[in-house]
Amino acid sequence: DWSQGYSAVPDAKPRTAVEPPRTEPEPEPEPQLMRHPERYDGPPRIAVGPYHRWVAEEFQGAATCPFEVQALGFPAVTVEGDVVVSARAEALSNSDGEDEVMHVTWRTVDTDAVAEWIQIFDGMDEGGWNAEQHAHCRGLWEGSKAKAAQINARLAEQSWRALEPLDIAIHDPHTYDYDGPSHADARALPARLRPVELTYVAGDAVVRVPGVRVLARTAADWWGYDDMCSREPHPGMVWVDRPTGAIAVELDHNSGACLCNSATVLHTLRWSDEVLAAIDRSAALRVEVEESE
């Protein structure tokens, strides 16, 4: 206690801040199947259900395999209004569905060009369809889960807004089920009561009040190819994103022949607020007239 102590400064490395251990972000849970997918109100996602070893005879899963794939929240548009994403599953033949194909497409609104396309499944993959054993179905299921994960990761890179259906009349003079009588009835109405309609004329998507005025005309490459059932496009469902004016039009090239089926396509364009306001007024007026009758 009384003696002079010995002290020394030991050699040491300078102290550095200790970095916390890096933790990988928790992966998002896989989307689950919904009993009522039409009620889904989240961002676009692909949900792949479980693989069932035993199913009821009336069950019709993906390409008649014992699992289900749901496209939730499609079609949708980026919050910037520049890209529309859509999902489609369909069998392009008169089969029982074993050749069903499903894919997701990203399309640039102003150019109507496909920016990205990912196939989820093709019922004829994995060695083809086997009516007795469905030997390829498990491979089809595993591939669908992998593609769904890829698609959902890609979708999660951007923020999306659901498109809403647009109430607009469709005039398709090229269809095998020609709407001549109903269109003649529309043109017979007083000008203020005629519905605003979408039609395709000489390479243009045209919004007009028939016999009164054209509201919008947009160059649209909707013609099909020679090997399709019909080269003429047949517009159907129309969707809108009101904040940006982005429009999606669903159409096909079917000819009405029972042995010919063409793929359904979603094309894009953009309409102004004034055009959308005219469409809304026309729809509201039509409802008012129908209710008064």
Side-chain angles (χ1 to χ4, degrees), residues 8-240:
V9 178
D11 294 336
K13 295 180 180 180
R15 178 178 293 180
T16 58
V18 178
E19 295 183 3
R22 295 183 179 181
T23 57
E24 295 295 329
E26 290 291 331
E28 293 187 6
E30 293 185 3
Q32 301 298 310
L33 295 182
M34 295 192 64
R35 184 180 297 273
H36 300 284
E38 68 278 2
R39 299 178 185 174
Y40 178 79
D41 60 356
R45 295 291 184 268
I46 298 296
V48 180
Y51 190 88
H52 300 283
R53 186 174 180 183
W54 305 107
V55 295
E57 290 185 3
E58 64 272 13
F59 178 81
Q60 291 293 325
T64 72
C65 285
F67 66 93
E68 185 178 357
V69 181
Q70 288 182 342
L72 304 172
F74 295 88
V77 64
T78 56
V79 294
E80 297 82 9
D82 59 343
V83 175
V84 165
V85 65
S86 62
R88 168 65 57 176
E90 57 190 346
L92 301 178
S93 73
N94 285 358
S95 69
D96 292 328
E98 63 269 16
D99 56 349
E100 183 182 24
V101 177
M102 186 174 188
H103 54 80
V104 173
T105 305
W106 288 257
R107 190 175 286 269
T108 304
V109 173
D110 291 318
T111 62
D112 192 25
V114 174
E116 193 169 354
W117 181 91
I118 300 178
Q119 181 173 280
I120 301 173
F121 65 81
D122 181 341
M124 303 307 290
D125 281 351
E126 302 296 335
W129 189 74
N130 186 314
E132 295 181 356
Q133 300 179 354
H134 280 197
H136 70 299
C137 281
R138 183 166 287 276
L140 206 66
W141 174 64
E142 292 173 350
S144 298
K145 289 176 57 179
K147 287 296 185 181
Q150 176 188 351
I151 290 169
N152 291 337
R154 174 70 178 82
L155 290 170
E157 295 174 359
Q158 295 175 282
S159 297
W160 300 89
R161 185 166 47 238
L163 292 173
E164 64 174 274
L166 183 63
D167 188 359
I168 183 173
I170 303 293
H171 174 48
D172 182 6
H174 308 293
T175 184
Y176 55 90
D177 187 18
Y178 181 48
D179 64 350
S182 60
H183 190 250
D185 291 342
R187 291 181 66 93
L189 293 171
R192 67 180 186 85
L193 297 179
R194 294 180 191 177
V196 174
E197 65 181 19
L198 168 64
T199 189
Y200 192 69
V201 181
D204 290 336
V206 178
V207 183
R208 69 186 184 188
V209 180
V212 179
R213 65 189 179 108
V214 171
L215 301 173
R217 181 187 292 270
T218 308
D221 186 13
W222 292 356
W223 289 108
Y225 303 102
D226 289 333
D227 58 350
M228 289 182 170
C229 305
S230 170
R231 294 202 65 187
E232 293 84 0
H234 307 302
M237 189 71 183
V238 181
W239 287 270
V240 61

Side-chain angles (χ1 to χ4, degrees), residues 91-95 228-229 253-255 257-264:
L92 301 178
S93 73
N94 285 358
S95 69
M228 289 182 170
C229 305
H253 296 87
N254 287 327
S255 63
C258 62
L259 296 179
C260 190
N261 298 273
S262 73
T264 304

